Amino acid sequence: MPSYVVTGSNRGIGLAFIRQLSEDPKNIVFALARDPDNSQELQELHKSRKNVHLLQGDITDVKALKAAATKVGSVTGGKLDYLVNNAALVDFNRQELSPDGYTEGQEELLEDDYLKSFKVNVIGVIHTTNTFLPLLLKTSETTVAKIISLSTGLADPELTVIGKLTDLSPYSVSKAALNMVVAKYAAAHKDNSNIVFLALSPGLVNTALKPPTPEELENIKKTIATFKKQYPDWSGVPLTADQSVGYMLDVIKKVTAADTGAFLSHWGNKQWL
Ligand SMILES: NC(=O)c1ccc[n+]([C@@H]2O[C@H](COP(=O)([O-])OP(=O)(O)OC[C@H]3O[C@@H](n4cnc5c(N)ncnc54)[C@H](OP(=O)(O)O)[C@@H]3O)[C@@H](O)[C@H]2O)c1
C-alpha cells in the first residue's frame, strides 16, 4: 500500500493532493497541516475515508514534525513511499518590489521579508525532509521512494530575466534556493537508485480563498499579460488545484532515478505554463 505525506494539506494544492490520492483506497494518505482540526474539508475526508490520517505540524517546528513522523511510522511499519513538500509561505506583501526596490531605511524590512520566506520555503522543507528521510530510506531498501518539493516557474532565472519578472522576489528567491536544496539531496543520495528527489512546479493555479480585490485583480491581469508574452499559446486561464495535481501526479509517477535533482514543470519539462 503506497504511503504519502503531504504538507500544507488544509487548502489549495495540498488539499487537492489529499483528495485525489485518497480516492484510491490502496493508498495510505497522511495530511499534515498546521491546524487540521479547523479544516472542514480535511475533517470530512478523514471521517469519510479510512485511508486519510491527519497530522498536526508547522514545517518550521522540528518537534511537531518528529511526532508526525513517529505517527506515520507506526501506521506504515516504519516506511514512507512519497513525501510531498507542498507547504509554503506565498508572501504577497510588497509583491512588486525587486531587491533594489526597498528604499533607504527599509533594510530591516528587506531582511525580514527574505528571512520569513527562507525560514518556511527553504529551512522548513529541509527540516521536513530530514525528519521523514529515515522512513523514505527504509522504503528505498526494497522499492522506489520519492520526495517531491513544490517549486515555481518564478524560480527560473531565465524566465525571470526574459520576462522582466521582478514580482514576489523573496518568495521566488527562496524557491530558487529550494531547487538547489533538492539538487543537494539528490547529490547526497546519488548512489541510491531507489530514491528520487524532484523540484516540481504546479503551473499557475487558482488557490485564492476569496475573490480578488480590485487592486489584486489588476496585479493578476498584469501578471497574466506578462506570462502571455512568454507563452503566447497559453490560454491565460489559471488551472484549478485538481487539474494541476492531476498533471503533477503523472509526472511524479514517471520520474525515475535518472531525473533525481531535476526542476520540472507539471508538464514534466521546463514549460512553466
Ligand atoms: N498556486 C500557484 O499558482 C502556485 C504556483 C507555483 C508554485 N506554487 C507552490 O505550490 C504549493 C502550494 O501552493 P498553494 O497555492 O496551494 O498555496 P496556498 O494556497 O498559499 O497554501 C499554502 C499552504 O501551506 C501551508 N503553510 C504555510 N506555511 C506553513 C508552515 N510554516 N507550516 C506548515 N504549513 C504551512 C498553509 O497552511 P495555513 O492554512 O495554515 O496557512 C497552506 O496549507 C506551494 O509550495 C507554492 O509555492 C503554487
Side-chain angles (χ1 to χ4, degrees), residues 8 10-11 13 34 58-59 86-88 151 171 175 202-203 205 207:
N10 54 309
R11 59 187 167 102
I13 293 171
R34 287 198 275 207
D58 188 302
I59 63 163
N86 165 78
S151 187
Y171 168 75
K175 289 286 187 175
V205 188
T207 53

Side-chain angles (χ1 to χ4, degrees), residues 64-75:
L65 290 171
K66 284 192 170 151
T70 302
K71 197 167 159 191
V72 171
S74 71
V75 176

Side-chain angles (χ1 to χ4, degrees), residues 7-14 32-35 57-60 85-90 120 150-153 171 175 201-207:
T7 66
S9 62
N10 54 309
R11 59 187 167 102
I13 293 171
L32 188 134
R34 287 198 275 207
D35 192 1
D58 188 302
I59 63 163
T60 63
N85 283 314
N86 165 78
L89 175 64
V90 189
V120 179
L150 264 65
S151 187
T152 167
Y171 168 75
K175 289 286 187 175
S201 167
L204 184 67
V205 188
N206 185 359
T207 53

Side-chain angles (χ1 to χ4, degrees), residues 165-202:
L165 303 179
T166 53
D167 268 27
L168 295 173
S169 290
Y171 168 75
S172 310
V173 171
S174 70
K175 289 286 187 175
L178 173 67
N179 293 346
M180 182 51 82
V181 166
V182 170
K184 291 289 182 192
Y185 276 112
H189 295 273
K190 188 88 174 92
D191 293 338
N192 181 349
S193 58
N194 267 347
I195 195 145
V196 181
F197 294 88
L198 182 71
L200 181 59
S201 167

Side-chain angles (χ1 to χ4, degrees), residues 20-269:
Q20 289 191 32
L21 290 169
S22 62
E23 269 167 17
D24 182 347
K26 289 197 291 298
N27 290 335
I28 311 178
V29 184
F30 296 91
L32 188 134
R34 287 198 275 207
D35 192 1
D37 293 347
N38 271 325
S39 168
Q40 200 187 333
E41 289 96 333
L42 275 189
Q43 289 296 329
E44 278 165 12
L45 281 171
H46 180 51
K47 272 190 208 127
S48 60
R49 297 181 181 175
K50 282 200 179 68
N51 59 343
V52 175
H53 301 259
L54 304 186
L55 304 169
Q56 191 281 325
D58 188 302
I59 63 163
T60 63
D61 178 354
V62 177
K63 219 169 132 190
L65 290 171
K66 284 192 170 151
T70 302
K71 197 167 159 191
V72 171
S74 71
V75 176
T76 61
K79 294 179 176 184
L80 177 63
D81 299 306
Y82 297 88
L83 170 63
V84 181
N85 283 314
N86 165 78
L89 175 64
V90 189
D91 189 358
F92 288 100
N93 287 329
R94 294 166 283 287
Q95 116 170 53
E96 71 291 353
L97 293 188
S98 61
D100 63 347
Y102 292 78
T103 54
E104 219 177 307
Q106 287 190 316
E107 292 80 6
E108 266 184 44
L109 193 64
L110 179 153
E111 276 190 26
D112 199 43
D113 283 351
Y114 280 77
L115 289 174
K116 268 197 325 218
S117 282
F118 260 71
K119 172 113 178 145
V120 179
N121 301 345
V122 182
I123 299 167
V125 174
I126 295 176
H127 283 321
T128 311
T129 305
N130 287 348
T131 307
F132 286 98
L133 198 53
L135 301 177
L136 292 145
L137 287 173
K138 186 77 192 154
T139 288
S140 80
E141 288 174 11
T142 51
T143 181
V144 177
K146 296 181 181 177
I147 295 102
I148 312 299
S149 299
L150 264 65
S151 187
T152 167
L154 295 178
D156 177 356
E158 248 178 71
L159 177 69
T160 301
V161 178
I162 293 171
K164 298 187 195 161
L165 303 179
T166 53
D167 268 27
L168 295 173
S169 290
Y171 168 75
S172 310
V173 171
S174 70
K175 289 286 187 175
L178 173 67
N179 293 346
M180 182 51 82
V181 166
V182 170
K184 291 289 182 192
Y185 276 112
H189 295 273
K190 188 88 174 92
D191 293 338
N192 181 349
S193 58
N194 267 347
I195 195 145
V196 181
F197 294 88
L198 182 71
L200 181 59
S201 167
L204 184 67
V205 188
N206 185 359
T207 53
L209 296 172
K210 47 183 171 33
T213 62
E215 193 191 323
E216 284 166 347
L217 192 62
E218 272 318 297
N219 277 334
I220 293 169
K221 280 187 188 158
K222 238 174 60 192
T223 308
I224 287 180
T226 311
F227 287 158
K228 273 280 244 184
K229 272 195 211 147
Q230 305 312 313
Y231 292 92
D233 296 336
W234 177 55
S235 70
V237 181
L239 299 171
T240 65
D242 277 317
Q243 286 172 324
S244 167
V245 167
Y247 294 131
M248 286 193 284
L249 286 174
D250 273 350
V251 177
I252 293 170
K253 202 159 86 186
K254 282 182 190 145
V255 287
T256 67
D259 305 298
T260 195
F263 167 34
L264 300 176
S265 75
H266 56 304
W267 304 120
N269 55 26

